Amino acid sequence: NYVQSGLYSIPICCQNRECLFGEIKNGKMILNDAGKMVHTEWLNLRNRFSNIELHEFVTMPNHFHGILKIVGATLVVAHNETVAHNGQPQGIAPTKTVGDMMDAFKSITTVEYIRGVKKLGWKPFYGKIWQRNYYEHILRNEQSYYIISNYIINNPVKWQEDKFYAP
């Protein structure tokens, strides 16, 4: 249900695979200012969601790929709790889901990117920055984590072989 404790692999692709965040040179990702913003906002997720740890991640020219860990899934109880007629406490909400976290990340980076276009001359985009959805994958064992971690770490070097490659 993507709220349980565990490791999640999350790639998010730009709309139409538009290269907005920099370029690959000699096997290294060179972030432009927009790419640096995406990088920073990923790190800032730790401040927004206290129940996560960030693992390997990379901002690529037209996508982002990261691993996050949800730790200690808990319930959040509203300050003024009331009881409904069925005896269940009201005002209880589950820990934020991976979807909530990615929605926040995509929203914040979109707002910041729009600000960059308007004030800093960043490359304009058409419609949306990010594709509508993203793909999350639960990393269920050490081997799975190792494979995805290496993919992320080596993504810039293997850019031309990547499924998101756009020249």
Side-chain angles (χ1 to χ4, degrees):
N1 65 12
Y2 302 114
V3 72
Q4 295 178 353
S5 295
L7 288 161
Y8 298 84
S9 166
I10 304 163
I12 308 173
C13 193
C14 290
Q15 187 73 16
N16 301 319
R17 297 188 180 179
E18 187 80 24
C19 291
L20 301 173
F21 305 133
E23 61 185 332
I24 303 292
K25 287 188 178 178
N26 300 320
K28 295 191 186 253
M29 179 62 198
I30 309 301
L31 297 173
N32 60 18
D33 288 340
K36 291 174 186 173
M37 176 272 298
V38 169
H39 179 99
T40 298
E41 292 304 333
W42 178 256
L43 293 174
N44 286 341
L45 283 177
R46 295 177 298 198
N47 301 328
R48 294 185 164 287
F49 303 100
S50 61
N51 64 321
I52 64 170
E53 294 173 3
L54 302 177
H55 288 252
E56 289 81 3
F57 69 95
V58 65
T59 305
M60 294 293 288
N62 65 2
H63 71 280
F64 176 88
H65 196 151
I67 297 174
L68 69 80
K69 180 178 183 180
I70 295 179
V71 292
T74 60
L75 294 179
V76 177
V77 180
H79 193 59
N80 292 321
E81 185 178 290
T82 59
V83 177
H85 61 75
N86 63 3
Q88 292 297 314
Q90 299 299 296
I92 296 179
T95 300
K96 297 296 185 182
T97 66
V98 172
D100 295 331
M101 294 172 200
M102 293 309 95
D103 287 347
F105 177 72
K106 288 168 65 174
S107 177
I108 291 164
T109 54
T110 297
V111 167
E112 289 301 314
Y113 196 96
I114 291 168
R115 185 174 294 134
V117 170
K118 290 180 178 178
K119 295 183 177 182
L120 303 171
W122 292 2
K123 182 179 180 179
F125 63 95
Y126 303 98
K128 298 179 179 183
I129 293 175
W130 301 108
Q131 287 182 349
R132 181 171 173 249
N133 289 323
Y134 58 91
Y135 174 80
E136 72 272 315
H137 175 73
I138 300 171
L139 303 177
R140 298 191 187 276
N141 56 48
E142 192 173 322
Q143 180 183 10
S144 180
Y145 178 80
Y146 177 78
I147 290 167
I148 297 297
S149 294
N150 279 322
Y151 169 81
I152 291 170
I153 292 165
N154 294 311
N155 204 196
V157 172
K158 297 183 175 188
W159 174 230
Q160 292 184 347
E161 302 166 28
D162 192 277
K163 64 183 176 183
F164 298 123
Y165 175 71

